[in-house]
């Protein structure tokens, strides 16, 4: 830039008007990227927010910078309800009619959706800017794929054009754990959809899934959604009958089509069953040694100490259940006259079951997970539909009952891409392969079908009626497995391969896709896999398995494991007993769970 204009610009920038004034002048005159211009413009508002709301931390989502606050506890279900309540309270204070839009049949959606008419957009945005300005709440424009394409803080003041005109907005709070980790971000919150009158919508919107090329002619003063939903994108006057959906805050208004349970919505109870033992307990170890001579015909790794060693995984598995699977009715913990020191056996919704409560007396003591699985359906009060967890299986993000069952009761089975292999069981192959091959013979004998695939190490959906049916038929392999104290090449896998394929063969289950990650303790890629999980890998479940790990490898791997688990699941579940404080001292932080001493 030369000449008088350039000299004038240099003079104006250099004038003693202050650094802030110079920045604003440059922002007007130079072609800076939009993100930097926006950062300069919103800086004063963000400084005021930090001063008014102590404890905020800056969080980045790609190029978007927001603020989050550390929360004292977290479950996805509570976050969903809180974000919904914020929006409902806002709209009720404004007097704007709104309605709850169906988010899907029990899939564990991380947010709720509220619809309002497009004519109220200006009033909604104006009031939200006033009400949420001091809360560090965010607002984002939602794209066709359901992801936020642009976001800002309500405290920023006037919103960018992309947000002011967005057909769907998402608003919520960024919740952080004690280490600054994001527990809920832009994938959560509550969506506000701006529905338009039919006369204002051009013919054949791309998202429309109901008939009608000319909306004004066919539907008259219908309300038309800005995107697809599970029920209907068009609400003619006849369908707008007031109704309510019961949520935590009480009845939330909606229209009748969105209040009815869908054909695939899970309306039945679902329980969870965990199996656990502490192999380092001297009493259990002595019992195991006393019966070890009866262990034969299978590789030593299948009956070695790592099969019974507890790394406190159960504590974190229960935390993951409480954080991300709020639909579970009751938890049953199956164990051998043991309790973890940290467990509260009287916690609401928890029942402890001893092996002697479900297994025949002549089958005890038992050190074989297959034998225990063969009798889980004898748990008193267990629901027809339940989930079976090993204690090293974790939930990674919000899930619903619809992940595991269809609304008609059919189970959704997590088959693995790995195959059982051909030929008879072999002592040197993994026990699941041998057990799966034996289950294959059972399925072929009773149903004339040949099975090929193993099951994933995920929560296993179970049908009580399937297990009872197989037991009533006197299947020899199943009876032998129930009396098999240690793993054997003669076992079947009752809760996985056998149950799953029997249910499929009888029309009570179908294969389903599960997003899953397997991590083996002490392997060279363990850290890489844990890092991917910690950074928010797009999966539903993961397994942290210990397979015949040497003491040296285990001691090196456990600190890494505990660091990961404490960051991933930082808050105690209600299944954990309060930690007593030493005399004269304040109670210790319940978030400080170090590796248990041995």
């Amino acid at each position: 830039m030369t000449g008088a204009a350039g000299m004038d610009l240099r003079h104006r920038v250099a004038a003693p008007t202050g650094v802030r004034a110079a920045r604003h002048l440059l922002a007007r005159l130079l072609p800076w990227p939009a993100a930097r211009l926006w950062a300069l413009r919103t800086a004063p508002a963000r400084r005021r927010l930090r001063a008014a709301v102590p404890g905020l931390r800056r969080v980045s989502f790609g190029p978007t910078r927001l603020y989050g606050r550390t929360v004292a506890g977290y479950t996805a279900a509570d976050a969903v309800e809180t974000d919904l309540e914020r929006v409902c309270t806002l709209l009720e204070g404004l007097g704007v009619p709104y309605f709850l839009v169906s988010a899907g049949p029990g899939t564990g959606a991380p947010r709720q959706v509220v619809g309002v008419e497009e004519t109220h957009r200006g009033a909604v945005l104006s009031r939200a800017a006033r009400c949420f300005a001091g809360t560090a709440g965010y607002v984002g424009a939602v794209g066709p794929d359901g992801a936020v394409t642009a976001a800002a803080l309500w405290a920023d003041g006037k919103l960018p054009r992309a947000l002011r005109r967005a057909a769907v907005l998402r608003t919520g709070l960024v919740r952080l754990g004690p280490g600054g980790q994001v527990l809920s971000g832009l994938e959560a919150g509550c969506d506000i959809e701006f529905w338009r009158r039919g006369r204002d919508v051009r013919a054949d919107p791309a998202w429309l899934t109901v008939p009608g090329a000319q909306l004004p002619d066919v539907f008259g003063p219908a309300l038309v959604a800005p995107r697809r939903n599970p029920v209907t994108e068009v609400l003619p006057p006849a369908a707008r009958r007031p109704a309510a959906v019961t949520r935590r805050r009480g009845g939330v208004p909606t229209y009748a089509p969105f209040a009815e349970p869908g054909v695939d919505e899970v309306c039945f109870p679902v329980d969870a069953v965990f199996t656990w033992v502490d192999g380092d307990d001297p009493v259990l170890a002595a019992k195991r040694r006393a019966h070890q001579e009866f262990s034969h015909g299978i590789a030593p790794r299948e009956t070695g100490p790592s099969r019974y060693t507890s790394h406190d995984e159960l504590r974190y598995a229960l935390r993951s259940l409480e954080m991300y699977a709020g639909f579970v009715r009751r938890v049953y913990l199956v164990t051998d006259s043991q309790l973890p020191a940290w467990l509260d056996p009287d916690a609401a919704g928890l029942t402890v079951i001893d092996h002697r409560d479900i297994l025949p007396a002549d089958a005890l003591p038992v050190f074989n997970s297959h034998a225990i699985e063969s009798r889980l359906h004898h748990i008193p009060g267990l629901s027809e539909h339940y989930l079976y967890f090993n204690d090293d299986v974790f939930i990674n993000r919000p899930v619903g009952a619809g992940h595991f069952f269809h609304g008609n009761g059919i189970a959704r089975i997590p088959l693995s891409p790995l195959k059982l292999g051909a030929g008879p069981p072999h002592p040197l192959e993994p026990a699941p392969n041998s057990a799966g091959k034996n289950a294959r013979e059972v399925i072929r004998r009773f149903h004339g079908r040949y099975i090929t695939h193993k099951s994933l190490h995920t929560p296993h959906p179970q049908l009580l009626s399937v297990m009872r049916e197989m037991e009533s038929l006197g299947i020899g392999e199943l009876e032998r497995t129930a009396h098999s104290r240690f793993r054997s090449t003669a076992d079947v896998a009752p809760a996985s391969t056998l149950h799953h394929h029997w249910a499929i063969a009888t029309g009570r289950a179908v294969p389903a896709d599960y997003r899953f990650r397997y991590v083996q303790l002490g392997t060279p890629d363990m850290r890489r896999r844990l890092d991917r999980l910690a950074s928010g890998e797009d999966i539903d479940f993961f397994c942290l398995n210990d397979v015949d790990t040497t003491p040296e490898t285990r001691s090196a791997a456990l600190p890494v494991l505990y660091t990961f688990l404490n960051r991933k699941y930082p808050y105690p579940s209600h299944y954990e007993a309060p930690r007593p404080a030493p005399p004269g001292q304040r109670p210790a932080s319940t978030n400080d769970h170090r590796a248990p001493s041995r």
Side-chain angles (χ1 to χ4, degrees), residues 194-499:
F194 293 102
W195 288 53
R196 302 171 69 184
R197 293 282 177 171
R199 60 177 175 269
D200 300 324
V201 179
R202 64 179 177 82
D204 291 332
W207 62 88
L208 198 63
T209 63
V210 297
Q214 298 294 327
L215 290 176
D217 297 334
V218 176
F219 294 107
L223 289 179
V224 182
R227 60 177 178 177
R228 294 182 180 179
N229 64 62
V231 177
T232 180
E233 296 84 46
V234 177
L235 284 170
R240 296 204 294 273
R241 301 187 307 277
V245 175
T246 301
R247 307 290 302 185
R248 186 177 67 181
R249 74 192 306 266
V252 178
T254 188
Y255 291 124
F258 295 129
E260 300 288 344
V263 70
D264 205 27
E265 184 173 345
V266 174
C267 299
F268 44 78
V270 178
D271 292 336
V273 177
F274 286 81
T275 53
W276 173 85
V277 293
D278 181 5
D280 292 336
D281 174 31
V283 175
L284 183 67
K287 286 195 295 185
R288 191 171 69 246
R289 287 193 300 270
H291 293 84
Q292 196 76 43
E293 62 183 287
F294 299 103
S295 170
H296 56 81
I298 199 166
R301 67 172 182 274
E302 301 297 343
T303 58
S306 65
R307 291 293 171 189
Y308 314 103
T309 298
S310 170
H311 302 312
D312 229 16
E313 300 99 331
L314 178 66
R315 181 202 299 265
Y316 300 98
L318 287 173
R319 290 185 186 185
S320 80
L321 185 83
E322 184 164 281
M323 284 178 67
Y324 295 129
F327 66 91
V328 169
R329 181 187 69 168
R330 175 164 286 274
V331 171
Y332 294 90
L333 175 61
V334 179
T335 183
D336 185 6
S337 302
Q338 298 176 304
L339 284 178
W342 49 265
L343 186 76
D344 178 5
D346 300 317
L350 174 67
T351 300
V352 178
I353 301 294
D354 195 86
H355 289 174
R356 60 176 174 265
D357 296 331
I358 59 175
L359 279 119
D362 60 349
L364 299 173
V366 62
F367 313 99
N368 181 2
S369 60
H370 292 152
I372 299 165
E373 293 167 10
S374 74
R375 303 285 293 186
L376 295 179
H377 59 288
H378 285 268
I379 294 175
L382 185 62
S383 59
E384 161 66 13
H385 300 83
Y386 62 99
L387 302 176
Y388 167 54
F389 285 79
N390 291 127
D391 64 357
D392 58 0
V393 170
F394 305 84
I395 304 176
N396 188 58
R397 62 182 179 183
V399 296
H403 276 78
F404 308 101
F405 301 99
H406 287 287
N408 59 3
I410 287 178
R412 304 181 72 247
I413 298 302
L415 293 185
S416 169
L418 302 179
K419 298 182 177 65
L420 298 170
H426 191 282
L428 296 183
E429 68 182 346
N433 288 66
S434 293
K437 291 176 179 179
N438 294 327
R440 177 162 64 202
E441 293 307 309
V442 174
I443 298 298
R444 183 159 56 183
R445 188 164 73 245
F446 281 87
H447 301 290
R449 298 301 177 97
Y450 187 86
I451 68 175
T452 56
H453 286 265
K454 299 165 67 173
S455 302
L456 293 175
H457 291 266
T458 67
H460 290 283
Q462 304 282 289
L463 300 172
L464 197 72
S465 56
V466 168
M467 296 302 298
R468 287 177 173 172
E469 178 179 299
M470 292 191 298
E471 185 177 59
S472 71
L473 294 174
I475 300 172
E477 292 91 338
L478 193 58
E479 293 180 353
R480 284 195 297 273
T481 298
H483 288 79
S484 177
R485 281 198 169 89
F486 291 88
R487 285 190 170 189
S488 163
T489 55
D491 287 351
V492 292
S496 52
T497 315
L498 183 59
H499 168 276

Side-chain angles (χ1 to χ4, degrees), residues 122-167:
V124 171
L125 294 182
S126 177
R127 184 174 180 87
R130 296 194 303 272
C131 292
F132 296 155
T135 65
Y138 70 84
V139 55
V142 181
D145 61 351
V148 171
T149 58
L153 292 169
W154 288 108
D156 289 344
K158 187 177 181 181
L159 300 178
R161 181 180 300 179
L163 297 182
R164 297 198 306 270
R165 297 183 176 182

